[in-house]
Tab-separated table of all heavy atoms in Angstrom:
chain	number	residue	atom	x	y	z
A	1449	GLN	N	-15.827	-11.832	43.242
A	1449	GLN	CA	-16.813	-12.404	42.341
A	1449	GLN	C	-16.292	-12.224	40.919
A	1449	GLN	O	-16.109	-11.082	40.465
A	1449	GLN	CB	-18.165	-11.759	42.487
A	1449	GLN	CG	-18.808	-11.951	43.856
A	1449	GLN	CD	-19.440	-13.341	43.999
A	1449	GLN	OE1	-20.002	-13.884	43.046
A	1449	GLN	NE2	-19.301	-13.920	45.192
A	1450	ILE	N	-16.092	-13.312	40.175
A	1450	ILE	CA	-15.658	-13.263	38.763
A	1450	ILE	C	-16.746	-13.929	37.950
A	1450	ILE	O	-16.826	-15.173	37.874
A	1450	ILE	CB	-14.273	-13.960	38.580
A	1450	ILE	CG1	-13.240	-13.345	39.535
A	1450	ILE	CG2	-13.835	-13.829	37.151
A	1450	ILE	CD1	-11.964	-14.127	39.594
A	1451	ARG	N	-17.576	-13.109	37.349
A	1451	ARG	CA	-18.780	-13.621	36.741
A	1451	ARG	C	-19.002	-13.056	35.317
A	1451	ARG	O	-18.774	-11.850	35.086
A	1451	ARG	CB	-20.070	-13.303	37.562
A	1451	ARG	CG	-20.118	-13.978	38.927
A	1451	ARG	CD	-21.399	-13.587	39.647
A	1451	ARG	NE	-21.516	-14.282	40.952
A	1451	ARG	CZ	-22.051	-15.459	41.084
A	1451	ARG	NH1	-22.575	-16.113	40.032
A	1451	ARG	NH2	-22.139	-16.039	42.291
A	1452	GLY	N	-19.476	-13.889	34.417
A	1452	GLY	CA	-19.985	-13.400	33.128
A	1452	GLY	C	-18.890	-12.843	32.201
A	1452	GLY	O	-19.249	-12.084	31.280
A	1453	ASN	N	-17.651	-13.148	32.434
A	1453	ASN	CA	-16.563	-12.651	31.591
A	1453	ASN	C	-16.350	-13.575	30.373
A	1453	ASN	O	-16.684	-14.770	30.400
A	1453	ASN	CB	-15.262	-12.583	32.374
A	1453	ASN	CG	-15.352	-11.634	33.557
A	1453	ASN	OD1	-15.116	-10.433	33.413
A	1453	ASN	ND2	-15.689	-12.139	34.724
A	1454	VAL	N	-15.702	-13.028	29.377
A	1454	VAL	CA	-15.254	-13.830	28.208
A	1454	VAL	C	-13.739	-13.771	28.195
A	1454	VAL	O	-13.131	-12.693	28.220
A	1454	VAL	CB	-15.829	-13.253	26.898
A	1454	VAL	CG1	-15.280	-14.056	25.683
A	1454	VAL	CG2	-17.357	-13.305	26.898
A	1455	PHE	N	-13.146	-14.953	28.144
A	1455	PHE	CA	-11.695	-15.094	28.077
A	1455	PHE	C	-11.344	-15.838	26.797
A	1455	PHE	O	-11.700	-17.016	26.634
A	1455	PHE	CB	-11.172	-15.883	29.279
A	1455	PHE	CG	-11.455	-15.301	30.614
A	1455	PHE	CD1	-12.645	-15.608	31.318
A	1455	PHE	CD2	-10.574	-14.424	31.217
A	1455	PHE	CE1	-12.919	-15.068	32.554
A	1455	PHE	CE2	-10.837	-13.880	32.478
A	1455	PHE	CZ	-12.007	-14.203	33.129
A	1456	TYR	N	-10.659	-15.177	25.903
A	1456	TYR	CA	-10.271	-15.787	24.624
A	1456	TYR	C	-8.745	-15.651	24.445
A	1456	TYR	O	-8.245	-14.533	24.446
A	1456	TYR	CB	-10.975	-15.118	23.423
A	1456	TYR	CG	-10.449	-15.556	22.088
A	1456	TYR	CD1	-10.659	-16.853	21.639
A	1456	TYR	CD2	-9.744	-14.682	21.284
A	1456	TYR	CE1	-10.180	-17.285	20.419
A	1456	TYR	CE2	-9.279	-15.092	20.047
A	1456	TYR	CZ	-9.488	-16.399	19.613
A	1456	TYR	OH	-8.990	-16.786	18.391
A	1457	ARG	N	-8.092	-16.786	24.363
A	1457	ARG	CA	-6.636	-16.799	24.275
A	1457	ARG	C	-6.045	-15.817	25.343
A	1457	ARG	O	-5.220	-14.994	25.048
A	1457	ARG	CB	-6.167	-16.398	22.875
A	1457	ARG	CG	-6.547	-17.448	21.830
A	1457	ARG	CD	-6.025	-17.098	20.445
A	1457	ARG	NE	-6.392	-18.199	19.471
A	1457	ARG	CZ	-6.128	-18.126	18.198
A	1457	ARG	NH1	-5.491	-17.080	17.692
A	1457	ARG	NH2	-6.464	-19.122	17.422
A	1458	ALA	N	-6.544	-16.008	26.547
A	1458	ALA	CA	-6.229	-15.083	27.631
A	1458	ALA	C	-5.183	-15.653	28.560
A	1458	ALA	O	-5.184	-15.359	29.762
A	1458	ALA	CB	-7.508	-14.747	28.374
A	1459	GLY	N	-4.294	-16.497	28.051
A	1459	GLY	CA	-3.253	-16.990	28.894
A	1459	GLY	C	-3.784	-17.884	30.011
A	1459	GLY	O	-4.658	-18.728	29.793
A	1460	ARG	N	-3.265	-17.635	31.208
A	1460	ARG	CA	-3.768	-18.286	32.427
A	1460	ARG	C	-4.950	-17.450	32.848
A	1460	ARG	O	-4.830	-16.458	33.597
A	1460	ARG	CB	-2.636	-18.272	33.476
A	1460	ARG	CG	-2.811	-19.102	34.655
A	1460	ARG	CD	-1.481	-19.203	35.441
A	1460	ARG	NE	-0.511	-19.967	34.660
A	1460	ARG	CZ	-0.395	-21.308	34.620
A	1460	ARG	NH1	-1.189	-22.017	35.386
A	1460	ARG	NH2	0.480	-21.856	33.862
A	1461	ALA	N	-6.152	-17.807	32.428
A	1461	ALA	CA	-7.272	-16.885	32.428
A	1461	ALA	C	-7.635	-16.353	33.816
A	1461	ALA	O	-7.714	-15.129	34.030
A	1461	ALA	CB	-8.488	-17.497	31.754
A	1462	VAL	N	-7.885	-17.251	34.749
A	1462	VAL	CA	-8.217	-16.843	36.162
A	1462	VAL	C	-7.241	-17.573	37.060
A	1462	VAL	O	-7.131	-18.810	37.000
A	1462	VAL	CB	-9.668	-17.169	36.498
A	1462	VAL	CG1	-9.908	-16.884	37.996
A	1462	VAL	CG2	-10.648	-16.421	35.628
A	1463	GLN	N	-6.579	-16.827	37.927
A	1463	GLN	CA	-5.663	-17.440	38.892
A	1463	GLN	C	-6.152	-17.123	40.303
A	1463	GLN	O	-6.236	-15.980	40.714
A	1463	GLN	CB	-4.218	-16.919	38.682
A	1463	GLN	CG	-3.263	-17.612	39.644
A	1463	GLN	CD	-1.787	-17.323	39.307
A	1463	GLN	OE1	-0.924	-17.619	40.146
A	1463	GLN	NE2	-1.516	-16.800	38.146
A	1464	LEU	N	-6.433	-18.199	41.052
A	1464	LEU	CA	-6.792	-18.073	42.446
A	1464	LEU	C	-5.524	-18.479	43.235
A	1464	LEU	O	-5.249	-19.661	43.438
A	1464	LEU	CB	-7.954	-19.002	42.793
A	1464	LEU	CG	-9.228	-18.842	41.925
A	1464	LEU	CD1	-10.337	-19.795	42.422
A	1464	LEU	CD2	-9.717	-17.401	41.908
A	1465	GLY	N	-4.820	-17.466	43.710
A	1465	GLY	CA	-3.483	-17.679	44.287
A	1465	GLY	C	-3.522	-17.879	45.779
A	1465	GLY	O	-3.035	-17.009	46.538
A	1466	GLY	N	-4.141	-18.955	46.245
A	1466	GLY	CA	-4.116	-19.291	47.654
A	1466	GLY	C	-5.232	-18.643	48.485
A	1466	GLY	O	-5.293	-18.894	49.685
A	1467	GLY	N	-6.097	-17.841	47.847
A	1467	GLY	CA	-7.116	-17.160	48.588
A	1467	GLY	C	-8.351	-17.996	48.820
A	1467	GLY	O	-8.448	-19.174	48.422
A	1468	ARG	N	-9.380	-17.367	49.432
A	1468	ARG	CA	-10.574	-18.068	49.894
A	1468	ARG	C	-11.827	-17.340	49.389
A	1468	ARG	O	-11.808	-16.168	49.082
A	1468	ARG	CB	-10.602	-18.160	51.411
A	1468	ARG	CG	-9.355	-18.701	52.027
A	1468	ARG	CD	-9.272	-18.312	53.482
A	1468	ARG	NE	-10.321	-18.851	54.334
A	1468	ARG	CZ	-10.139	-19.847	55.173
A	1468	ARG	NH1	-8.985	-20.432	55.311
A	1468	ARG	NH2	-11.141	-20.271	55.921
A	1469	ASP	N	-12.927	-18.107	49.362
A	1469	ASP	CA	-14.271	-17.539	49.196
A	1469	ASP	C	-14.398	-16.735	47.905
A	1469	ASP	O	-15.128	-15.741	47.842
A	1469	ASP	CB	-14.638	-16.665	50.405
A	1469	ASP	CG	-14.542	-17.426	51.716
A	1469	ASP	OD1	-14.986	-18.567	51.738
A	1469	ASP	OD2	-14.016	-16.845	52.698
A	1470	ASN	N	-13.682	-17.163	46.887
A	1470	ASN	CA	-13.828	-16.541	45.587
A	1470	ASN	C	-14.798	-17.354	44.740
A	1470	ASN	O	-14.815	-18.580	44.795
A	1470	ASN	CB	-12.455	-16.469	44.891
A	1470	ASN	CG	-11.493	-15.630	45.640
A	1470	ASN	OD1	-11.665	-14.403	45.835
A	1470	ASN	ND2	-10.398	-16.248	46.099
A	1471	THR	N	-15.556	-16.648	43.900
A	1471	THR	CA	-16.514	-17.332	43.030
A	1471	THR	C	-16.132	-17.052	41.566
A	1471	THR	O	-16.004	-15.885	41.170
A	1471	THR	CB	-17.955	-16.832	43.280
A	1471	THR	OG1	-18.315	-17.180	44.624
A	1471	THR	CG2	-18.920	-17.485	42.327
A	1472	VAL	N	-15.974	-18.132	40.824
A	1472	VAL	CA	-15.729	-18.064	39.354
A	1472	VAL	C	-16.894	-18.723	38.685
A	1472	VAL	O	-16.990	-19.971	38.686
A	1472	VAL	CB	-14.394	-18.733	39.011
A	1472	VAL	CG1	-14.127	-18.617	37.489
A	1472	VAL	CG2	-13.254	-18.169	39.812
A	1473	ALA	N	-17.831	-17.955	38.145
A	1473	ALA	CA	-19.090	-18.538	37.664
A	1473	ALA	C	-19.542	-17.857	36.382
A	1473	ALA	O	-19.372	-16.674	36.183
A	1473	ALA	CB	-20.135	-18.387	38.756
A	1474	ASN	N	-20.155	-18.678	35.549
A	1474	ASN	CA	-20.818	-18.184	34.326
A	1474	ASN	C	-19.892	-17.482	33.377
A	1474	ASN	O	-20.247	-16.525	32.680
A	1474	ASN	CB	-21.990	-17.278	34.700
A	1474	ASN	CG	-23.119	-17.378	33.703
A	1474	ASN	OD1	-23.968	-18.227	33.814
A	1474	ASN	ND2	-23.141	-16.521	32.681
A	1475	ASN	N	-18.654	-17.915	33.347
A	1475	ASN	CA	-17.677	-17.331	32.414
A	1475	ASN	C	-17.501	-18.211	31.212
A	1475	ASN	O	-17.672	-19.438	31.247
A	1475	ASN	CB	-16.329	-17.181	33.118
A	1475	ASN	CG	-16.399	-16.301	34.358
A	1475	ASN	OD1	-16.514	-15.080	34.248
A	1475	ASN	ND2	-16.388	-16.907	35.513
A	1476	LEU	N	-17.112	-17.600	30.089
A	1476	LEU	CA	-16.826	-18.323	28.852
A	1476	LEU	C	-15.304	-18.317	28.617
A	1476	LEU	O	-14.684	-17.229	28.547
A	1476	LEU	CB	-17.554	-17.653	27.680
A	1476	LEU	CG	-17.313	-18.286	26.307
A	1476	LEU	CD1	-17.910	-19.665	26.207
A	1476	LEU	CD2	-17.956	-17.388	25.215
A	1477	PHE	N	-14.683	-19.487	28.523
A	1477	PHE	CA	-13.235	-19.625	28.294
A	1477	PHE	C	-13.010	-20.302	26.939
A	1477	PHE	O	-13.541	-21.379	26.734
A	1477	PHE	CB	-12.627	-20.490	29.398
A	1477	PHE	CG	-12.748	-19.950	30.797
A	1477	PHE	CD1	-13.819	-20.357	31.605
A	1477	PHE	CD2	-11.850	-19.067	31.303
A	1477	PHE	CE1	-13.950	-19.910	32.920
A	1477	PHE	CE2	-11.959	-18.599	32.629
A	1477	PHE	CZ	-13.009	-19.016	33.423
A	1478	VAL	N	-12.232	-19.673	26.106
A	1478	VAL	CA	-11.942	-20.252	24.795
A	1478	VAL	C	-10.429	-20.196	24.593
A	1478	VAL	O	-9.844	-19.124	24.617
A	1478	VAL	CB	-12.643	-19.523	23.646
A	1478	VAL	CG1	-12.382	-20.220	22.303
A	1478	VAL	CG2	-14.141	-19.425	23.929
A	1479	GLU	N	-9.797	-21.390	24.410
A	1479	GLU	CA	-8.370	-21.495	24.122
A	1479	GLU	C	-7.496	-20.833	25.173
A	1479	GLU	O	-6.583	-20.041	24.872
A	1479	GLU	CB	-8.064	-20.932	22.706
A	1479	GLU	CG	-8.759	-21.678	21.599
A	1479	GLU	CD	-8.348	-21.194	20.219
A	1479	GLU	OE1	-7.179	-20.762	20.038
A	1479	GLU	OE2	-9.196	-21.207	19.308
A	1480	CYS	N	-7.764	-21.170	26.422
A	1480	CYS	CA	-6.987	-20.637	27.521
A	1480	CYS	C	-6.080	-21.751	28.076
A	1480	CYS	O	-6.395	-22.923	28.002
A	1480	CYS	CB	-7.881	-20.070	28.624
A	1480	CYS	SG	-8.881	-18.653	28.062
A	1481	HIS	N	-4.975	-21.352	28.715
A	1481	HIS	CA	-3.945	-22.305	29.177
A	1481	HIS	C	-3.476	-21.974	30.619
A	1481	HIS	O	-2.449	-21.364	30.791
A	1481	HIS	CB	-2.737	-22.230	28.242
A	1481	HIS	CG	-2.999	-22.636	26.849
A	1481	HIS	ND1	-2.859	-23.897	26.379
A	1481	HIS	CD2	-3.432	-21.886	25.789
A	1481	HIS	CE1	-3.167	-23.927	25.073
A	1481	HIS	NE2	-3.505	-22.721	24.704
A	1482	PRO	N	-4.253	-22.353	31.614
A	1482	PRO	CA	-5.550	-23.000	31.621
A	1482	PRO	C	-6.675	-21.950	31.748
A	1482	PRO	O	-6.414	-20.749	31.871
A	1482	PRO	CB	-5.473	-23.846	32.863
A	1482	PRO	CG	-4.742	-22.965	33.826
A	1482	PRO	CD	-3.699	-22.245	32.954
A	1483	ALA	N	-7.908	-22.419	31.817
A	1483	ALA	CA	-9.017	-21.532	32.139
A	1483	ALA	C	-8.917	-21.085	33.581
A	1483	ALA	O	-9.089	-19.896	33.885
A	1483	ALA	CB	-10.347	-22.242	31.874
A	1484	VAL	N	-8.681	-22.024	34.477
A	1484	VAL	CA	-8.620	-21.723	35.937
A	1484	VAL	C	-7.372	-22.309	36.547
A	1484	VAL	O	-7.051	-23.473	36.306
A	1484	VAL	CB	-9.879	-22.273	36.652
A	1484	VAL	CG1	-9.794	-21.955	38.140
A	1484	VAL	CG2	-11.142	-21.684	36.069
A	1485	HIS	N	-6.655	-21.484	37.312
A	1485	HIS	CA	-5.506	-21.915	38.116
A	1485	HIS	C	-5.945	-21.751	39.568
A	1485	HIS	O	-6.429	-20.698	39.965
A	1485	HIS	CB	-4.328	-21.046	37.775
A	1485	HIS	CG	-3.218	-21.034	38.794
A	1485	HIS	ND1	-1.894	-21.194	38.438
A	1485	HIS	CD2	-3.200	-20.826	40.148
A	1485	HIS	CE1	-1.140	-21.120	39.520
A	1485	HIS	NE2	-1.915	-20.867	40.568
A	1486	ILE	N	-5.728	-22.802	40.367
A	1486	ILE	CA	-5.942	-22.694	41.792
A	1486	ILE	C	-4.770	-23.361	42.517
A	1486	ILE	O	-4.258	-24.388	42.086
A	1486	ILE	CB	-7.303	-23.349	42.198
A	1486	ILE	CG1	-7.584	-23.128	43.657
A	1486	ILE	CG2	-7.344	-24.799	41.809
A	1486	ILE	CD1	-9.019	-23.443	44.046
A	1487	ASP	N	-4.344	-22.747	43.623
A	1487	ASP	CA	-3.241	-23.323	44.382
A	1487	ASP	C	-3.460	-23.096	45.886
A	1487	ASP	O	-4.332	-22.339	46.286
A	1487	ASP	CB	-1.880	-22.791	43.914
A	1487	ASP	CG	-1.678	-21.306	44.200
A	1487	ASP	OD1	-1.803	-20.896	45.363
A	1487	ASP	OD2	-1.429	-20.539	43.233
A	1488	ALA	N	-2.645	-23.783	46.661
A	1488	ALA	CA	-2.637	-23.640	48.093
A	1488	ALA	C	-1.265	-23.179	48.529
A	1488	ALA	O	-0.622	-23.801	49.385
A	1488	ALA	CB	-3.046	-24.948	48.771
A	1489	ARG	N	-0.797	-22.080	48.005
A	1489	ARG	CA	0.560	-21.641	48.243
A	1489	ARG	C	0.887	-21.410	49.710
A	1489	ARG	O	2.027	-21.477	50.147
A	1489	ARG	CB	0.856	-20.351	47.430
A	1489	ARG	CG	0.024	-19.167	47.804
A	1489	ARG	CD	0.243	-18.008	46.838
A	1489	ARG	NE	-0.122	-18.378	45.463
A	1489	ARG	CZ	0.033	-17.562	44.416
A	1489	ARG	NH1	0.525	-16.330	44.578
A	1489	ARG	NH2	-0.333	-17.974	43.217
A	1490	GLY	N	-0.112	-21.094	50.509
A	1490	GLY	CA	0.098	-20.907	51.918
A	1490	GLY	C	0.544	-22.152	52.628
A	1490	GLY	O	1.067	-22.095	53.748
A	1491	LEU	N	0.298	-23.312	52.018
A	1491	LEU	CA	0.765	-24.589	52.552
A	1491	LEU	C	2.062	-25.030	51.916
A	1491	LEU	O	2.596	-26.107	52.242
A	1491	LEU	CB	-0.320	-25.678	52.329
A	1491	LEU	CG	-1.667	-25.402	52.956
A	1491	LEU	CD1	-2.681	-26.450	52.517
A	1491	LEU	CD2	-1.560	-25.355	54.467
A	1492	GLY	N	2.555	-24.230	50.930
A	1492	GLY	CA	3.750	-24.585	50.198
A	1492	GLY	C	4.803	-23.523	50.261
A	1492	GLY	O	5.241	-23.141	51.370
A	1493	TRP	N	5.136	-23.001	49.086
A	1493	TRP	CA	6.296	-22.042	49.028
A	1493	TRP	C	6.032	-20.715	49.763
A	1493	TRP	O	6.959	-20.024	50.140
A	1493	TRP	CB	6.639	-21.752	47.581
A	1493	TRP	CG	5.539	-21.055	46.800
A	1493	TRP	CD1	4.563	-21.670	46.032
A	1493	TRP	CD2	5.321	-19.656	46.664
A	1493	TRP	NE1	3.726	-20.692	45.466
A	1493	TRP	CE2	4.203	-19.469	45.838
A	1493	TRP	CE3	5.995	-18.535	47.168
A	1493	TRP	CZ2	3.747	-18.193	45.498
A	1493	TRP	CZ3	5.515	-17.271	46.861
A	1493	TRP	CH2	4.374	-17.110	46.025
A	1494	ALA	N	4.738	-20.406	50.049
A	1494	ALA	CA	4.434	-19.114	50.744
A	1494	ALA	C	3.960	-19.351	52.163
A	1494	ALA	O	3.217	-18.533	52.708
A	1494	ALA	CB	3.380	-18.357	49.932
A	1495	GLN	N	4.395	-20.410	52.787
A	1495	GLN	CA	3.986	-20.702	54.144
A	1495	GLN	C	4.551	-19.686	55.151
A	1495	GLN	O	4.075	-19.588	56.295
A	1495	GLN	CB	4.378	-22.112	54.581
A	1495	GLN	CG	5.820	-22.438	54.438
A	1495	GLN	CD	6.092	-23.911	54.608
A	1495	GLN	OE1	6.458	-24.376	55.720
A	1495	GLN	NE2	5.906	-24.688	53.578
A	1496	ASN	N	5.548	-18.902	54.734
A	1496	ASN	CA	6.096	-17.878	55.608
A	1496	ASN	C	5.087	-16.826	55.994
A	1496	ASN	O	5.268	-16.074	56.964
A	1496	ASN	CB	7.354	-17.230	54.976
A	1496	ASN	CG	7.082	-16.510	53.661
A	1496	ASN	OD1	6.242	-17.024	52.855
A	1496	ASN	ND2	7.702	-15.361	53.429
């Protein structure tokens, strides 16, 4: 659960790296690159 955080110039603010059932809610993102990263690496480079 990632809730109620403030991200300011925080790079890649939240990264969901192939996982499941994560909640990113009620956060404030300012000048992030990006605010949220999500991938399906288990279907790609991490299928091993």
Side-chain angles (χ1 to χ4, degrees):
Q1449 296 282 323
I1450 304 170
R1451 294 181 178 273
N1453 298 273
V1454 176
F1455 300 90
Y1456 171 69
R1457 295 183 177 176
R1460 192 169 294 275
V1462 174
Q1463 183 169 167
L1464 306 182
R1468 307 160 64 106
D1469 304 318
N1470 298 296
T1471 298
V1472 182
N1474 211 86
N1475 301 285
L1476 179 66
F1477 300 93
V1478 184
E1479 298 184 33
C1480 297
H1481 298 268
V1484 179
H1485 161 132
I1486 185 167
D1487 66 56
R1489 63 188 59 183
L1491 301 173
W1493 63 268
Q1495 57 190 262
N1496 61 321

